[in-house]
Amino acid sequence: MDTPDAWKLRADELRLQIEALLEAQLCEYELLNAKLEEWKKNPGAEWLTMADYEPWQAALKSLELAQRELDEHISVRPK
């Protein structure tokens, strides 16, 4: 029986993490987009606040960090 490739297991783990973060980012984007659509219908309403867009920015930062971690992992793959 072959032993699992630790490098591949970690790469798969990082890929799954990125997929989950992409899903979270998409959800945050959809919420923000809905607020923008609501705002366009009521131009006199308050503009978006930091509480409206901070979750989306946080999701983007998490995704960027995860992508960098995956890129680092891939760059050290044994030949």
Side-chain angles (χ1 to χ4, degrees):
M1 182 175 202
D2 292 330
T3 43
D5 179 351
W7 186 91
K8 182 177 179 335
L9 290 173
R10 179 67 176 143
D12 288 342
E13 177 186 314
L14 291 168
R15 181 185 52 80
L16 290 172
Q17 178 184 6
I18 287 174
E19 287 174 3
L21 288 167
L22 280 169
E23 185 66 32
Q25 185 213 9
L26 180 60
C27 290
E28 291 298 340
Y29 173 78
E30 288 172 347
L31 289 171
L32 184 61
N33 194 48
K35 289 189 181 233
L36 284 169
E37 289 299 320
E38 183 181 312
W39 179 76
K40 286 196 304 190
K41 291 177 187 172
N42 302 305
E46 278 189 42
W47 183 245
L48 295 176
T49 65
M50 287 182 68
D52 294 317
Y53 62 83
E54 276 183 336
W56 188 55
Q57 286 183 328
L60 285 171
K61 287 178 185 176
S62 296
L63 181 60
E64 181 182 11
L65 180 61
Q67 184 63 53
R68 273 187 285 176
E69 192 173 346
L70 178 62
D71 290 345
E72 272 182 42
H73 182 70
I74 289 172
S75 73
V76 297
R77 181 173 188 168
K79 303 282 181 196

